[in-house]
Amino acid sequence: MKRILLLLTFMLSFVQLRADEGMWLLTMIKRLNGVDMQKEGLKLTAEEIYSVNHSSLKDAIVQFAGGCTAEMVSKEGLLFTNHHCGYGAIAALSTPANDHLTNGFWAMKKSEELPAAGVNVRFMVRMDDVSKRINAKLNNNMSADERKAIIDAEYKAIQAENSENGKYTVVVRDFFNGNEFYYFVYQDFKDVRLVGTPPNSLGKFGGDTDNWEWPRHTVDFSVFRVYADANGNPAEYSPSNVPMTPKHSLPISLKGYKPGDFAMIVGFPGRTNRYLTSYGISQMVNKDYPAWVESSKLAMDVMKKYMDKDQATKLDYASQYASVANYWKNRQGTIDAVEKNNTIAEKKALEDKFMTWALLPENVETYGGVLEDLKANYAQISNRNVERNYSSQLQRNAKYITISYQLGSLLKTYADQDEAGKAAMKPKVIAAIDKVYDGINTKLEGEMLNSMVNLYQQRVAKDVASPTLMAADAKNLSTLAFSSVFATKESAMNFVNNPDRLKIDADPMLKLADGYVNDQKLGAEKFAKVDEAFAKNNRMFLDGLRKSQPQTDFYPDANSTMRLTYGHVATLPERSDRKYFGISEKDNYYTDVTGMVAKYKKGDEEFDLPQRFLDLVKKKDFGRYKDKKGFMPVNFLSDNDITGGNSGSPVMDGNGNLIGLAFDGNSEALSGDIIFDKKWQKTINVDIRMVLWTIEKYGNAGHLISELTLVK
């Protein structure tokens, strides 16, 4: 009886998850929280949100460029996403003479829309749960290799069963650390064209200073169009392609909102670690993220030095710099938030309760030692994880290493061909060279190589470091790079025209790149057994955690699959150091254009504003887009649960009408990927009325508004 009472007390001690916490798979909505959502203000049925046989909300939501979300807003293939999601494409389409990133761009007719090379959008056709099918063939006594072989075979079979001979892309993902499995059927469209973008001074207003901070005043949107062939099917870019017709496009509401109004977001959140243990969080904030922060800040400093000197370099590196800067601030903010919010202590308290359950006689054999084993795993991989963080930033930013590795084997193969073989390969080789050297500043890259390798040598423990990098002369690596076949596009092309296998084999940069990659492979093999145990222990811990809380509806961590999160338009708790720029604290759920003007600093890279924008605001020429209270809204807050990858996601009211685009979170809750903070966690959104006003009034592109379905 005592044991039963202990277990009952333990079960009741867990707090039920808040209704607005969680990034839910769309097939879970009806089973888990459809009724809750109806009570909160949802007017749609589960079938209207997700349906296989009929048009539904999911058909208007796409994954954009692999790392963001966008929404279809017209029957002519028009889509909205964030400015920072389209940033790379906009920068790539810009030149110093035709600088769309700085000046903005609006296509006044479809023939003026610009093909965004490399950008694709992904529609989800359907998904299904295959957990029973796969788990029936698995058991906990299998080795990692045995388990992987079975899972890979099932993945391959499921993909073949659902791809319809290549018509669809089929992706199978594991959930809950490998305890469940779902497959997703996608259709990918590759002809995507830039239709419109505000200038950088609006789309990125506030820059790095305001990033992750509230109040925000950022007009963070861009407009693209999806094209298809004459039959509506995906196709590579062709002038003969036509705007595709989505199964569903979102109506747009001009009604406005108030605190407490229902808000729903559907998108493709990247990755969360909500079930990470206290040991994992400690490793992350004390070792892994500090390494990320230090190495990314160094890379930013090198880029900024050369970007400030030359507009072409600024455009070429704009997207890379923005991405590195975003994660740099995010990682540092996560460290600060975990410390401030006492996150590790909260996790330890939950783990103590788990252990109470795990040590019961019926559970102890399977789950009793899992947490202690995980603690030991982290001790084993701690230095290796730090190396991974320095290494990941080196690979991301020191392009001479990636260029040498990517081209090296190709040029070796080319050099080995007879004359006929060389002639056949040459177009492919030239295309590869054109691609990797596009937008490269060699002086920047030489300094980046020296700096990143030098930092790696100083910070990484020798027992886990790459011997190749540790032996390199970091101060003079740029000299090696500049003497290499891979120094410039011209030197690489010179090799193509005068191929010499002995020369490529002896190339110093190729030796460095090949040695480094080989070191990484050997390091992975060294830790294979530890990683195998680590994966199993994580899987077992989450399996036990779910069983210990049968009254709780668990949601899976984000993994770039479509999710729904719901909540409300919300305010942030008062903070003494927060300036609201004319908005009262009780109304701090929104910002308006007067706040933008209050922040305006002429000539400042982050807070400058176009004169046309200032003139329109001065005239109060807001038309039908101003709020019924008279202000022109810019951004607003909701308490939805999102993460990276949700950028560009539609924020919708209870009827599925678009009211905004999600683009950021707030600094107080940057630990949100680890734990949901019900008090502080908010989503920052650009008001859809600001989007439409910018298109029509600022951009003089009212013809685009005529494509939309507006709900007044």
Side-chain angles (χ1 to χ4, degrees):
M1 176 63 73
K2 184 176 180 180
R3 194 177 78 199
I4 294 173
L5 289 174
L6 178 65
L7 181 60
L8 180 61
T9 302
F10 162 69
M11 292 299 187
L12 292 175
S13 68
F14 281 100
V15 178
Q16 191 78 2
L17 294 178
R18 281 171 55 88
D20 52 359
E21 175 182 355
M23 304 173 197
W24 301 93
L25 288 166
L26 269 61
T27 52
M28 291 181 171
I29 301 303
K30 186 174 183 180
R31 176 167 60 91
L32 293 178
N33 52 14
V35 175
D36 289 340
M37 292 171 67
Q38 296 285 350
K39 290 178 180 178
E40 297 295 329
L42 177 67
K43 302 297 192 296
L44 303 177
T45 65
E47 181 75 5
E48 288 174 312
I49 295 173
Y50 173 83
S51 176
V52 176
N53 301 313
H54 306 285
S55 168
S56 60
L57 196 66
K58 68 138 169 79
D59 298 313
I61 319 300
V62 298
Q63 189 174 44
F64 180 85
C68 279
T69 302
E71 49 280 347
M72 309 306 299
V73 292
S74 87
K75 294 179 181 179
E76 297 181 69
L78 205 66
L79 68 76
F80 289 165
T81 189
N82 286 155
H83 178 267
H84 75 261
C85 293
Y87 199 84
I90 298 164
L93 289 166
S94 298
T95 64
N98 239 339
D99 192 345
H100 306 312
L101 193 64
T102 301
N103 303 322
F105 169 80
W106 306 98
M108 294 303 163
K109 49 188 177 181
K110 291 185 177 69
S111 61
E112 295 178 357
E113 295 171 0
L114 304 176
V119 175
N120 73 309
V121 299
R122 168 167 283 185
F123 289 83
M124 186 174 79
V125 179
R126 65 180 185 277
M127 60 172 291
D128 206 355
D129 184 353
V130 286
S131 301
K132 290 182 179 179
R133 169 177 174 170
I134 295 177
N135 282 328
K137 299 185 177 183
L138 303 174
N139 64 67
N140 291 326
N141 297 319
M142 288 178 171
S143 70
D145 288 341
E146 290 172 327
R147 182 180 178 86
K148 183 177 184 301
I150 290 171
I151 291 173
D152 287 349
E154 287 300 311
Y155 279 17
K156 187 175 181 180
I158 291 166
Q159 289 164 346
E161 292 163 12
N162 294 279
S163 70
E164 295 190 19
N165 295 318
K167 179 180 179 180
Y168 299 118
T169 299
V170 182
V171 178
V172 191
R173 292 282 176 85
D174 71 272
F175 293 79
F176 298 111
N177 291 349
N179 286 293
E180 292 186 11
F181 302 87
Y182 289 76
Y183 74 83
F184 301 82
V185 179
Y186 298 112
Q187 190 168 38
D188 298 333
F189 285 78
K190 299 179 180 180
D191 186 352
V192 180
R193 306 181 194 181
L194 176 65
V195 175
T197 176
N200 202 41
S201 53
L202 294 179
K204 203 181 176 186
F205 183 79
D208 292 332
T209 299
D210 274 7
N211 193 19
W212 303 104
E213 300 297 339
W214 181 258
R216 291 293 294 274
H217 299 83
T218 308
V219 192
D220 196 349
F221 82 95
S222 54
V223 186
F224 290 79
R225 194 184 303 277
V226 185
Y227 280 77
D229 67 16
N231 298 315
N233 296 315
E236 298 290 343
Y237 168 78
S238 170
S240 63
N241 285 347
V242 297
M244 66 91 66
T245 303
K247 295 179 181 177
H248 181 65
S249 57
L250 297 182
I252 297 174
S253 173
L254 301 181
K255 294 179 181 179
Y257 42 76
K258 62 183 183 301
D261 283 357
F262 182 82
M264 173 174 64
I265 293 175
V266 178
F268 291 83
R271 185 156 297 278
T272 56
N273 285 291
R274 293 280 172 80
Y275 305 108
L276 195 63
T277 63
S278 61
Y279 317 118
I281 298 173
S282 179
Q283 171 72 26
M284 177 186 288
V285 300
N286 293 317
K287 295 188 177 183
D288 296 350
Y289 278 8
W292 185 303
V293 168
E294 184 181 31
S295 53
S296 59
K297 182 61 168 65
L298 177 61
M300 289 163 57
D301 290 343
V302 174
M303 283 188 277
K304 191 74 163 56
K305 174 181 174 180
Y306 291 89
M307 291 168 72
D308 286 346
K309 294 178 181 178
D310 177 63
Q311 183 65 11
T313 301
K314 187 174 184 178
L315 289 171
D316 288 336
Y317 285 82
S319 181
Q320 180 182 343
Y321 183 90
S323 178
V324 174
N326 184 56
Y327 279 103
W328 163 70
K329 191 166 185 179
N330 173 278
R331 297 306 191 240
Q332 183 59 59
T334 299
I335 295 169
D336 298 339
V338 166
E339 293 175 353
K340 180 181 178 181
N341 298 340
N342 210 23
T343 304
I344 293 177
E346 287 187 29
K347 285 287 185 176
K348 285 182 176 178
L350 183 143
E351 288 161 6
D352 288 343
K353 293 170 182 176
F354 168 80
M355 286 305 299
T356 301
W357 175 87
L359 292 175
L360 292 173
E362 60 268 32
N363 303 323
V364 66
E365 183 177 353
T366 304
Y367 303 104
V370 167
L371 276 177
E372 200 60 35
D373 288 344
L374 277 172
K375 182 179 181 181
N377 293 153
Y378 275 108
Q380 292 173 297
I381 64 175
S382 180
N383 286 342
R384 190 279 306 268
N385 281 13
V386 171
E387 189 278 336
R388 279 184 171 180
N389 279 272
Y390 283 110
S391 188
S392 70
Q393 292 307 303
L394 188 150
Q395 292 174 40
R396 181 176 190 176
N397 294 292
K399 293 181 182 174
Y400 267 130
I401 289 180
T402 54
I403 287 173
S404 301
Y405 185 74
Q406 288 173 5
L407 288 182
S409 59
L410 183 64
L411 293 186
K412 283 182 180 181
T413 303
Y414 174 78
D416 288 339
Q417 303 298 308
D418 58 22
E419 290 307 310
K422 286 186 178 71
M425 273 192 74
K426 196 169 186 177
K428 177 183 177 182
V429 174
I430 292 174
I433 290 172
D434 287 340
K435 182 176 181 180
V436 299
Y437 287 101
D438 184 31
I440 291 292
N441 181 313
T442 56
K443 289 184 179 179
L444 184 159
E445 292 303 336
E447 184 169 340
M448 184 73 77
L449 180 63
N450 288 349
S451 300
M452 297 300 283
V453 172
N454 182 57
L455 181 65
Y456 182 97
Q457 291 175 344
Q458 292 179 37
R459 296 289 189 264
V460 176
K462 289 184 179 180
D463 62 323
V464 295
S466 158
T468 302
L469 292 187
M470 297 302 277
D473 181 1
K475 294 181 180 180
N476 296 301
L477 280 174
S478 59
T479 303
L480 290 181
F482 297 152
S483 66
S484 166
V485 167
F486 308 100
T488 63
K489 179 179 178 180
E490 290 72 25
S491 62
M493 282 303 303
N494 184 56
F495 181 87
V496 172
N497 294 324
N498 302 279
D500 183 342
R501 178 58 193 258
L502 293 177
K503 183 177 182 180
I504 197 74
D505 285 342
D507 189 89
M509 278 309 301
L510 184 55
K511 284 185 176 181
L512 181 76
D514 283 349
Y516 170 54
V517 171
N518 188 58
D519 292 344
Q520 293 290 303
K521 292 177 181 177
L522 292 175
E525 292 172 5
K526 178 181 176 181
F527 283 91
K529 291 296 182 183
V530 178
D531 289 340
E532 177 181 335
F534 180 68
K536 180 177 180 180
N537 287 326
N538 269 312
R539 185 174 71 251
M540 295 302 296
F541 169 65
L542 189 46
D543 178 54
L545 187 66
R546 295 170 74 195
K547 288 176 179 175
S548 72
Q549 301 183 49
Q551 82 286 6
T552 299
D553 291 328
F554 283 81
Y555 55 87
D557 269 319
N559 60 359
S560 295
T561 54
M562 187 181 283
R563 306 296 179 90
L564 181 150
T565 170
Y566 67 99
H568 310 85
V569 175
T571 60
L572 263 171
E574 180 181 347
R575 208 177 79 184
S576 59
D577 63 340
R578 181 177 283 122
K579 185 178 179 182
Y580 293 103
F581 299 93
I583 305 298
S584 68
E585 289 184 12
K586 68 180 180 66
D587 286 335
N588 81 76
Y589 64 93
Y590 74 91
T591 59
D592 68 357
V593 291
T594 61
M596 291 187 77
V597 175
K599 287 182 175 181
Y600 165 57
K601 298 176 185 176
K602 187 174 182 179
D604 187 279
E605 186 175 12
E606 295 185 320
F607 293 98
D608 201 358
L609 285 169
Q611 188 59 48
R612 175 170 172 75
F613 176 87
L614 293 170
D615 292 343
L616 287 168
V617 171
K618 187 175 181 179
K619 294 176 184 177
K620 296 186 177 180
D621 187 5
F622 304 134
R624 54 183 165 172
Y625 302 119
K626 68 180 180 181
D627 190 84
K628 59 185 177 183
K629 292 183 179 180
F631 63 86
M632 184 62 217
V634 181
N635 299 150
F636 69 96
L637 288 172
S638 61
D639 58 11
N640 297 94
D641 186 4
I642 69 165
T643 189
N646 272 121
S647 291
S649 293
V651 189
M652 294 165 282
D653 63 18
N655 293 304
N657 299 321
L658 186 64
I659 62 172
L661 278 64
F663 72 88
D664 210 353
N666 55 306
S667 61
E668 297 93 339
L670 279 173
S671 56
D673 283 354
I674 304 166
I675 189 169
F676 183 85
D677 189 317
K678 61 184 179 182
K679 177 181 178 182
W680 288 107
Q681 191 145 341
K682 300 294 182 284
T683 297
I684 305 176
N685 315 288
V686 58
D687 193 300
I688 198 62
R689 294 170 292 178
M690 186 60 179
V691 171
L692 302 187
W693 178 82
T694 304
I695 293 172
E696 181 176 340
K697 293 289 186 177
Y698 179 86
N700 286 322
H703 61 286
L704 298 176
I705 305 297
S706 65
E707 290 188 37
L708 312 176
T709 301
L710 302 182
V711 179
K712 299 179 181 179

